[in-house]
């Protein structure tokens, strides 16, 4: 494995648990228990991803999300705060993902792999994205299923393209609505629901049990790649 993962949490037991799981998976790890320590460690060469608790003793973790993204660190929020508003706020500030405690370590490792894969693929959006039977080619503006072109509406393609630029990352309703419909429609979630239904019908094996387009209730959507 390359790069280092920084664990930011003021609870020693949580840091030990997470560190053990991550090191067994082959990653190198550093730790911080305050926001001040986190900013020092995050600036060190080699740090790629930060697992960030929001309830830090010296500063609210949400403030750190913006600062960490400004220095190009991937951020997965790892916290006991499970309110939808907190999730939306963290994701809108630039967090790559949001995992609520208590958590399954295998799921956490999968989220870490996805965030690092996404980070390392930035700048290579010219390569088609293949998800099962579906191929999304943003350069050619072509979407196919089993090699056959799929006809999408302009809004369906725009939503799909936005999700495909950020595979495996939750994009909030507001972020998708702003990108596709504009600032005046950030509260018109029904527009997005209708468009997502169309995408599922055209691209999913079973639209009633979607595997490509995951809904995060009250938060947004994730394209599972």
């Amino acid at each position: 494995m390359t790069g280092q993962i920084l664990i930011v949490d003021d609870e020693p037991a949580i840091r030990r648990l997470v560190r053990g799981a991550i090191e067994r998976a082959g990653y190198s790890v550093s730790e911080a228990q305050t926001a001040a320590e986190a900013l020092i460690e995050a600036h060190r060469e080699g740090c790629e991803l930060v697992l960030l608790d929001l309830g830090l003793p010296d500063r609210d973790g949400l403030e750190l999300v913006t600062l960490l993204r400004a220095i190009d660190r991937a951020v997965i929020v790892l916290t006991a705060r499970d309110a939808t508003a907190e999730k939306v706020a963290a994701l809108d500030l630039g967090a790559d993902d949001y995992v609520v405690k208590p958590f399954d370590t295998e799921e956490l490792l999968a989220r870490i792999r996805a965030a690092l894969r996404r980070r390392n693929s930035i700048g290579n959006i010219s390569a088609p994205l293949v998800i099962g039977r579906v191929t999304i080619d943003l350069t050619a503006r072509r979407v196919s299923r089993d090699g056959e072109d799929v006809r999408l509406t302009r809004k369906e393609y725009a939503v799909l393209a936005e999700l495909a630029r950020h595979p495996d990352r939750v994009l909030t309703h507001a972020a998708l609505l702003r990108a596709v419909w504009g600032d005046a429609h950030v509260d018109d979630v029904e527009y997005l629901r209708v468009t997502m239904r169309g995408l599922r019908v055209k691209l999913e094996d079973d639209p009633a049990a979607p595997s490509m387009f995951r809904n995060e209730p009250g938060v947004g959507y994730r394209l599972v790649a």
Side-chain angles (χ1 to χ4, degrees), residues 21-22 24-25 103-113:
I22 292 174
R24 285 193 296 274
F103 53 86
D104 178 83
T105 54
E106 289 303 315
E107 179 185 356
L108 176 60
L109 289 171
R111 301 287 184 94
I112 289 171
R113 289 192 295 270

Side-chain angles (χ1 to χ4, degrees), residues 117-152:
R117 182 170 62 245
R118 184 166 58 247
R119 171 187 170 85
N120 293 330
S121 67
I122 290 175
N124 190 33
I125 61 171
S126 60
L129 181 62
V130 180
I131 307 173
R133 299 161 63 190
V134 175
T135 300
I136 304 165
D137 188 338
L138 296 180
T139 301
R141 293 183 60 85
R142 180 173 182 259
V143 180
S144 60
R145 178 180 165 90
D146 294 331
E148 298 291 327
D149 286 352
V150 178
R151 297 188 65 179
L152 302 177

Side-chain angles (χ1 to χ4, degrees), residues 17-143:
L17 172 66
V18 175
R19 181 174 195 131
I22 292 174
E23 287 183 332
R24 285 193 296 274
Y27 297 99
S28 59
V29 179
S30 61
E31 298 181 17
Q33 58 183 342
T34 66
E37 290 178 5
L39 289 173
I40 293 171
E41 292 297 323
H43 275 86
R44 297 191 191 280
E45 186 176 354
C47 180
E48 290 193 13
L49 183 144
V50 180
L51 296 176
L52 177 65
D53 180 37
L54 297 182
L56 299 174
D58 58 336
R59 194 169 191 172
D60 191 286
L62 284 175
E63 296 179 24
L64 274 190
V65 174
T66 302
L67 297 174
L68 292 169
R69 294 300 295 140
I71 58 172
D72 195 30
R73 301 298 183 254
V75 179
I76 296 178
V77 172
L78 186 62
T79 181
R81 299 183 189 177
D82 61 354
T84 296
E86 294 271 10
K87 296 179 184 179
V88 171
L91 293 167
D92 276 342
L93 286 170
D96 292 82
D97 215 332
Y98 196 108
V99 178
V100 177
K101 302 173 185 174
F103 53 86
D104 178 83
T105 54
E106 289 303 315
E107 179 185 356
L108 176 60
L109 289 171
R111 301 287 184 94
I112 289 171
R113 289 192 295 270
L116 290 174
R117 182 170 62 245
R118 184 166 58 247
R119 171 187 170 85
N120 293 330
S121 67
I122 290 175
N124 190 33
I125 61 171
S126 60
L129 181 62
V130 180
I131 307 173
R133 299 161 63 190
V134 175
T135 300
I136 304 165
D137 188 338
L138 296 180
T139 301
R141 293 183 60 85
R142 180 173 182 259
V143 180

Side-chain angles (χ1 to χ4, degrees), residues 8 21 162 166 171 174 180 195 222:
V8 184
E162 192 66 18
H166 308 278
L171 296 186
V180 177
T195 303
R222 181 198 309 265

